[in-house]
Amino acid sequence: MTEQVPFTDVYVDDDIVERVVETLESRRYVKGPRVQELERQFAETCGTAHAVGVSSGTAALHLSMKAAGIGPGDSVLVPAHTFFATVSPVLELGAEPVFVDVNPQTYTMSGTDLARKASKADNPQAVVPVHLYGQPAAMHAVWSVADAHDLTVFEDSCQAHGATYRGERTGSLGDVGCFSFYPSKNMTVAGDGGMLVTDDDELARTARQLRNHGRDADGNHVRLGLNHRLNEVSAAAGLEQLSHLADWNADRAAAAARYRENLGDVPEVELPVERDNGTHVYHLFVVQVPDRDDLQLYLEEQGIQTGIHYDPPVHLTPAMQKELSERPTLPETERICSRILSLPMHPRITDAEIDRVSDAIRRYYE
Ligand SMILES: Cc1ncc(COP(=O)(O)O)c(C=O)c1O
């Protein structure tokens, strides 16, 4: 049987197992010291005053928006070329998503379309730049539109742990930054988990209450809230994972460089463009090709796993179509969704595996 090239890989070692077992044995599973320590270290990594551990990246987005008061009558500018969970919290809160197109080379929000859509939106209150695939969004454009319309900036940094823009970490570039620890992410907590980071004391306090049944520090239920807590076992694994994040991101960047070197002269393959004012942490390595579905099938036959992130784009999913009164104008998003292909990418991918993937793509186009 052909040996598989896996799309991704989840790291577990003795240190992680030891920390997890120790936490199990501590019998302290929620509201304990490990979540607090992960919050402290994560805030330090991002350069923010606060970090609030929550049950998923989706919860981080939802609770941030709720804490900031987003609700019915508000418009929130979002890309459609992203994971569903960037947008679903907006609708869950009764607000209206206004979809913005992307730059087809960097895959992040188009500043021009953002400015255009913000000036046409009814009561725009917020914007959600997504640092998609690990590359920071063009934040100078986001900041300028946010300033002009007084928008709250919720960064969706669920794919960009450790990325920087003009020397600052993603998560610290807007009013709130939201992270996911889903197992395939650049770091995980061995299950679902998430974190929101902010410099805003009031927002952090409200988010802490919202994740814990609306309780204040004295245990009083001072607002409506559900349970979106991160647990101690997860945090224990997360602490160990966080200690490797910088090295793993460097390994991902090296893998991306090798793909570039191998595939740079294949005319059918459009490589992702890296901005020069930040660091890309390559959660995903996404190329564009003319006959994506056929190539994907061919690679699968060669034992090479790939992914598609995302087709259909959010505004064309059945759930979203039920919510939208008219189809938004998103020519680039709709053009690239049938062209994108995510190649195997993780910190432990070997040069031999990258070469095998690249050779197979080259063979397909010969
Ligand atoms: C861009 C983006 N936003 C939001 C999320 C939601 O995170 P989670 O799966 O932890 O809820 C994810 C990850 O799945 C994501 O990739």
Side-chain angles (χ1 to χ4, degrees), residues 56-59 61 82-83 85-86 130 132 156 158-159 180-182 185 192-193 310:
S56 67
T58 311
L61 285 156
T82 182
F83 183 58
T86 305
V130 181
L132 200 71
D156 182 338
C158 287
Q159 300 189 358
S180 163
F181 299 134
Y182 182 80
K185 301 299 195 225
D192 277 309
Y310 299 87

Coordinates of all heavy atoms in Angstrom, one line a residue, residues 56-59 61 82-83 85-86 130 132 156 158-159 180-182 185 192-193 310, ligand 1:
S56 N -14.3 27.3 23.0 CA -14.0 27.2 21.5 C -13.7 28.5 20.9 O -14.0 29.6 21.6 CB -15.2 26.6 20.8 OG -16.3 27.5 20.7
G57 N -13.2 28.5 19.7 CA -13.0 29.8 19.0 C -14.3 30.5 18.7 O -14.4 31.7 18.7
T58 N -15.3 29.6 18.4 CA -16.7 30.2 18.2 C -17.2 30.9 19.4 O -17.7 32.0 19.3 CB -17.6 29.0 17.8 OG1 -17.0 28.2 16.8 CG2 -18.9 29.5 17.3
A59 N -17.0 30.3 20.6 CA -17.4 31.0 21.8 C -16.6 32.3 22.0 O -17.2 33.3 22.5 CB -17.2 30.0 23.0
L61 N -15.5 34.3 19.7 CA -16.1 35.3 18.8 C -17.5 35.7 19.4 O -17.8 36.9 19.4 CB -16.3 34.7 17.4 CG -15.0 34.7 16.6 CD1 -15.0 33.6 15.5 CD2 -14.6 36.0 16.0
T82 N -14.1 32.4 4.5 CA -13.6 32.1 5.9 C -14.4 30.9 6.3 O -15.3 30.4 5.7 CB -13.9 33.3 6.8 OG1 -13.4 33.0 8.1 CG2 -15.4 33.7 6.9
F83 N -14.1 30.4 7.6 CA -14.9 29.4 8.2 C -16.2 30.0 8.6 O -16.3 31.1 9.1 CB -14.1 28.7 9.3 CG -14.8 27.6 10.0 CD1 -15.2 26.5 9.2 CD2 -15.1 27.6 11.3 CE1 -15.9 25.4 9.8 CE2 -15.8 26.5 11.9 CZ -16.2 25.4 11.1
A85 N -17.9 29.8 11.2 CA -17.9 30.4 12.6 C -17.5 31.8 12.7 O -17.7 32.5 13.8 CB -17.1 29.5 13.6
T86 N -16.9 32.4 11.7 CA -16.7 33.9 11.7 C -18.0 34.6 11.7 O -18.1 35.7 12.3 CB -15.8 34.3 10.5 OG1 -14.6 33.5 10.4 CG2 -15.5 35.8 10.5
V130 N -10.3 38.6 9.3 CA -9.9 37.2 9.6 C -8.4 37.0 9.1 O -8.1 37.4 7.9 CB -10.8 36.2 8.9 CG1 -10.3 34.8 9.2 CG2 -12.2 36.4 9.3
L132 N -6.6 34.8 7.8 CA -6.9 33.5 7.2 C -5.7 32.8 6.8 O -4.8 33.4 6.2 CB -7.9 33.6 6.0 CG -8.6 32.4 5.7 CD1 -9.7 32.0 6.7 CD2 -9.3 32.4 4.3
D156 N -10.5 37.8 14.0 CA -10.7 36.4 14.0 C -9.3 35.8 13.7 O -8.8 35.7 12.6 CB -11.7 35.9 13.0 CG -11.9 34.4 13.0 OD1 -11.0 33.7 13.5 OD2 -12.9 33.9 12.5
C158 N -8.3 32.8 14.7 CA -8.4 31.4 15.0 C -7.4 30.6 14.2 O -7.2 29.4 14.6 CB -9.8 30.9 14.7 SG -11.0 31.5 16.0
Q159 N -6.9 31.1 13.1 CA -5.9 30.4 12.3 C -4.5 31.0 12.4 O -3.6 30.7 11.6 CB -6.3 30.3 10.9 CG -7.7 29.6 10.7 CD -8.0 29.4 9.2 OE1 -7.3 29.7 8.3 NE2 -9.2 28.7 9.0
S180 N -8.8 29.9 18.3 CA -9.4 28.6 18.5 C -8.2 27.6 18.8 O -7.1 27.8 18.3 CB -10.0 28.2 17.1 OG -10.2 26.8 17.1
F181 N -8.6 26.6 19.6 CA -7.6 25.6 19.9 C -8.0 24.2 19.4 O -7.7 23.2 19.9 CB -7.3 25.5 21.4 CG -6.8 26.7 22.1 CD1 -7.3 27.2 23.2 CD2 -5.7 27.4 21.5 CE1 -6.8 28.4 23.8 CE2 -5.2 28.6 22.0 CZ -5.7 29.0 23.2
Y182 N -8.9 24.3 18.4 CA -9.3 23.1 17.7 C -8.1 22.2 17.3 O -7.1 22.8 17.0 CB -10.1 23.5 16.4 CG -10.7 22.4 15.6 CD1 -11.9 21.7 16.0 CD2 -10.1 21.9 14.5 CE1 -12.4 20.7 15.3 CE2 -10.6 20.9 13.7 CZ -11.8 20.3 14.1 OH -12.3 19.2 13.4
K185 N -5.3 23.2 14.8 CA -4.7 24.6 14.8 C -3.2 24.6 15.1 O -2.7 23.5 15.5 CB -5.5 25.4 15.8 CG -7.0 25.6 15.5 CD -7.3 26.2 14.1 CE -8.7 26.6 14.0 NZ -9.3 26.2 12.7
D192 N -11.7 20.7 22.2 CA -12.1 22.1 21.8 C -11.7 23.1 22.9 O -11.6 22.7 24.0 CB -13.6 22.1 21.7 CG -14.1 21.6 20.3 OD1 -13.6 22.1 19.3 OD2 -15.0 20.7 20.3
G193 N -11.4 24.3 22.4 CA -11.1 25.3 23.4 C -10.8 26.6 22.6 O -10.7 26.6 21.4
Y310 N -12.4 27.5 1.7 CA -13.6 26.8 1.9 C -14.4 26.8 0.6 O -14.4 27.8 -0.1 CB -14.4 27.5 3.0 CG -13.6 27.4 4.3 CD1 -12.7 28.4 4.6 CD2 -13.7 26.4 5.2 CE1 -11.9 28.4 5.8 CE2 -13.0 26.3 6.4 CZ -12.0 27.3 6.6 OH -11.3 27.2 7.8
Ligands
LIG1 C1 -11.3 31.3 10.8 C2 -12.0 30.5 11.9 N1 -12.9 31.1 12.7 C3 -13.5 30.5 13.7 C4 -13.2 29.2 14.0 C5 -14.0 28.5 15.1 O1 -13.2 27.9 16.1 P1 -13.7 26.6 16.9 O2 -13.7 25.4 15.9 O3 -12.7 26.4 17.9 O4 -15.1 26.9 17.4 C6 -12.3 28.5 13.3 C7 -11.9 27.1 13.5 O5 -12.5 26.1 13.4 C8 -11.6 29.2 12.2 O6 -10.8 28.6 11.4

